Amino acid sequence: MGDGDGTVIIGAGPAGLTAAYELLRHGRPVRVYEADDVVGGISRTVERDGWRFDIGGHRFFTKVARVEDFWHEILPDEDFLLRPRMSRIYYRGALFDYPLNAGNALRNLGLLEAARCLGSYGRARLRPPKDQSHFEGWVSARFGWRLYSIFFKTYTEKVWGMPADRLQADWAAQRIKNLSLATAMRNALLPRRNRTDVTSLIEEFQYPKHGPGMMWERCAEEVARRGGTVRTGAWVTEVHRDPAARRATAVTVADAGGERTEPAAHVISSMPISALVRAMRPEAPPEVRAAADDLRYRDFLTVALVVPEEFSFPDNWIYVHDPAARVGRIQNFGSWSPYLVKDGRTCLGLEYFVFEGDEMWRTPDAELVGFATAELERLGLVKPGCVEAGYVVRMPKAYPVYDERYQHNVDVIRDWLAAYVPNVHPVGRNGMHRYNNADHSMLTAMLTAENIAHGAEHDVWTVNVEQDYHEQRSPSRHGTGRDAPVVPARR
Ligand SMILES: Cc1cc2nc3c(=O)[nH]c(=O)nc-3n(C[C@H](O)[C@H](O)[C@H](O)COP(=O)(O)OP(=O)(O)OC[C@H]3O[C@@H](n4cnc5c(N)ncnc54)[C@H](O)[C@@H]3O)c2cc1C
């Protein structure tokens, strides 16, 4: 197996395409296989009837200079918009500023409820909940039960699909770090622009004018122009290995034309790490397969509804904390970019957090459009009868789930790959089972390209985009710069 066989890259999301581009920069041949018929992965832009939808809403924001440089190498400045971040919380008919603003919260809650919240805060300070090991205990100790139940409980439970007292607390500490009622009040009184010390307060971000997919469509074109190949509709079904040589030797690719097996000197994989293990031929040992089978995901579904512009709002999205509604967040795609929508209309993306195969996931599109329309009307955000069209976008495996065993499972797989197929390189979000932003996926890909191209020995598992990457600095197997709660494992 010579290096002439080049590198096969599984997946054309941010990680896969960054890896391809960087390897070509080093003069190395690459072939990218993408199972879907579009590039961009979760960072794609979906287009239907001329409307463009973002899966969630992708802010381009990073502290990593080489990621920022990469974005601007791929897209010219005129393709970027600089957008203000604005989002509010919908709760029982009122819109609360987010991050919370004391005056606005007080006005929306009313004097009586505000007094109850303060009383409940006072009680929590005097007699904090005994068990603060879970999300509910940790947050209610800092904000009081009433504020916790209004501003944290419902949304968190919608996202993760389980009661908040079953989520471990470290995630809360990470996600709302430095934020307490006292800091929230202080922030409410300080000037707001460019305050980036608290994770949830990023005020401005870049956004490609046609959505995040534009970045990856252009990147794929660049990869092809520089001599690489990017095939969509091409599913990598098997990764062949030579156990004696302890190397991967080839991959099997299935597409509309059938199946073929191609040699590979290296394999960079951004496919879910659980599926990578299952694709190994000969099979991985039972304990490694068991670890793969135990990894879990949370899935995501958007119902995008076209409405007249008068129902537009300035927010990028609104969090729906109202327990009566099933929807978790509502994107206003027109607020992300006027190029996503059409004149005189905007498009509201109602986001539902689901499990692949559950009742909602299986509901036919037309019914989902009806259901989402009724929710939107009930919330009072649009007038009855004003929805003109609706589209459903399903995104499986949107979130890798952190449960009590996930770290152990990932470690088992990671150690086996390193020992038995060291030329298979996991990168990116599901590729490494990391709850991340795109900059983390990209940095893992850049460092992997250097490992392949000139034998650098970066340990990509230690990449944390909140810190500059330094080989020597207290490597951790956990951080990405973004964190998720640890949920109970399946028994
Ligand atoms: C709701 C939501 C909001 C987000 N908001 C932001 C944000 O504001 N800013 C930000 O930076 N990030 C955001 N992210 C995270 C961002 O989407 C991811 O970090 C990024 O897309 C991960 O890139 P990736 O290449 O690692 O993986 P993916 O995007 O998952 O790409 C992997 C690709 O591999 C392909 N694939 C899988 N299996 C195979 C196979 N067997 N053969 C061939 N191809 C295969 C998939 O089809 C996919 O295209 C958000 C994510 C979600 C879910």
Side-chain angles (χ1 to χ4, degrees):
M1 183 72 34
D3 237 26
D5 291 322
T7 298
V8 164
I9 298 176
I10 308 175
L17 287 171
T18 302
Y21 189 90
E22 292 293 310
L23 277 169
L24 288 167
R25 202 199 289 281
H26 295 293
R28 298 301 174 117
V30 295
R31 282 159 291 153
V32 183
Y33 295 112
E34 167 54 55
D36 254 316
D37 51 11
V38 293
V39 300
I42 305 170
S43 302
R44 74 186 58 185
T45 303
V46 176
E47 195 173 342
R48 307 261 178 90
D49 295 340
W51 300 96
R52 290 193 171 87
F53 317 125
D54 185 334
I55 308 295
H58 280 72
R59 286 175 289 141
F60 280 60
F61 178 87
T62 186
K63 293 180 178 170
V64 183
R66 58 187 294 189
V67 166
E68 177 88 36
D69 293 346
F70 185 103
W71 288 336
H72 289 277
E73 192 172 321
I74 301 293
L75 285 186
D77 285 351
E78 60 266 25
D79 283 341
F80 279 101
L81 308 174
L82 191 61
R83 304 303 294 173
R85 171 185 168 146
M86 179 170 176
S87 46
R88 283 175 294 174
I89 295 171
Y90 178 98
Y91 182 75
R92 296 204 199 283
L95 286 166
F96 291 75
D97 286 353
Y98 179 80
L100 293 178
N101 167 317
N104 163 275
L106 208 65
R107 266 194 308 280
N108 279 332
L109 288 172
L111 274 183
L112 184 65
E113 182 59 38
R116 285 192 185 125
C117 288
L118 269 183
S120 145
Y121 173 69
R123 276 194 297 285
R125 299 312 291 170
L126 284 173
R127 295 197 22 244
K130 282 204 186 72
D131 187 355
Q132 293 183 31
S133 66
H134 52 69
F135 181 79
E136 185 158 303
W138 195 93
V139 181
S140 59
R142 277 149 191 86
F143 291 87
W145 171 265
R146 280 192 99 87
L147 283 173
Y148 157 74
S149 66
I150 296 173
F151 292 115
F152 298 92
K153 180 178 165 65
T154 315
Y155 182 70
T156 306
E157 292 184 341
K158 284 179 188 175
V159 175
W160 296 104
M162 69 180 57
D165 61 2
R166 297 186 63 205
L167 302 172
Q168 289 183 13
D170 9 352
W171 169 70
Q174 179 51 238
R175 185 165 169 84
I176 41 184
K177 65 178 169 209
N178 310 341
L179 207 60
S180 65
L181 194 61
T183 30
M185 304 267 261
R186 217 173 25 248
N187 287 331
L189 303 171
L190 287 176
R192 298 183 63 163
R193 292 192 83 68
N194 296 327
R195 220 178 33 208
T196 53
D197 52 329
V198 176
T199 313
S200 40
L201 298 181
I202 299 164
E203 300 277 338
E204 264 179 346
F205 58 87
Q206 302 174 85
Y207 192 69
K209 63 183 187 185
H210 290 124
M214 181 183 190
M215 174 70 66
W216 304 111
E217 288 154 22
R218 190 73 60 78
C219 186
E221 284 164 20
E222 238 354 88
V223 167
R225 205 178 63 76
R226 292 168 185 223
T229 55
V230 182
R231 298 256 184 280
T232 54
W235 196 280
V236 173
T237 52
E238 294 180 345
V239 177
H240 303 274
R241 61 189 184 96
D242 176 345
R246 295 199 170 191
R247 295 190 68 72
T249 54
V251 297
T252 298
V253 184
D255 62 17
E259 256 192 12
R260 62 190 182 280
T261 296
E262 296 189 1
H266 289 275
V267 177
I268 294 182
S269 168
S270 68
M271 71 196 277
I273 197 167
S274 52
L276 173 69
V277 168
R278 286 193 285 269
M280 287 289 165
R281 301 290 179 275
E283 282 188 343
E287 66 279 11
V288 181
R289 279 183 282 135
D293 290 342
D294 200 31
L295 289 175
R296 296 151 68 198
Y297 303 88
R298 185 81 166 141
D299 310 289
F300 189 79
L301 185 157
T302 303
V303 185
L305 302 175
V306 176
V307 297
E309 205 171 14
E310 64 184 282
F311 301 110
S312 186
F313 40 79
D315 313 61
N316 309 105
W317 65 80
I318 289 176
Y319 296 100
V320 182
H321 284 205
D322 210 303
R326 172 84 169 73
V327 61
R329 265 191 331 192
I330 303 178
Q331 299 288 339
N332 179 7
F333 293 121
S335 288
W336 286 84
S337 163
Y339 298 91
L340 298 184
V341 298
K342 301 184 199 177
D343 275 352
R345 306 274 178 284
T346 192
C347 188
L348 304 180
L350 280 75
E351 298 180 338
Y352 295 93
F353 304 96
V354 293
F355 288 112
E356 190 175 353
D358 72 9
E359 201 188 332
M360 187 140 206
W361 185 267
R362 286 184 283 110
T363 301
D365 288 9
E367 270 179 55
L368 285 175
V369 168
F371 177 80
T373 302
E375 285 218 308
L376 193 60
E377 291 176 355
R378 219 171 30 245
L379 292 171
L381 292 173
V382 298
K383 267 207 214 101
C386 76
V387 170
E388 298 174 9
Y391 305 89
V392 176
V393 181
R394 292 177 179 76
M395 178 49 68
K397 298 192 171 52
Y399 298 93
V401 167
Y402 288 2
D403 68 19
E404 293 150 338
R405 288 193 299 264
Y406 98 93
Q407 188 64 58
H408 170 75
N409 289 331
V410 171
D411 287 348
V412 166
I413 297 170
R414 169 192 164 170
D415 291 346
W416 182 78
L417 289 172
Y420 292 92
V421 269
N423 60 335
V424 172
H425 311 268
V427 291
R429 185 171 173 103
N430 290 328
M432 300 170 75
H433 206 82
R434 285 286 205 264
Y435 182 71
N436 70 0
N437 272 332
D439 59 345
H440 173 270
S441 282
M442 292 174 64
L443 190 54
T444 60
M446 288 171 173
L447 297 174
T448 297
E450 289 176 7
N451 286 347
I452 292 173
H454 43 82
E457 292 184 353
H458 300 296
D459 178 359
V460 297
W461 293 94
T462 64
V463 168
N464 182 334
V465 288
E466 279 299 296
Q467 301 159 359
D468 287 336
Y469 175 75
H470 284 305
E471 210 70 63
Q472 312 307 333
R473 192 186 287 180
S474 62
S476 133
R477 288 188 161 205
H478 303 260
T480 61
R482 198 174 177 201
D483 264 303
V486 174
V487 307
R490 263 187 311 231
R491 298 291 158 207

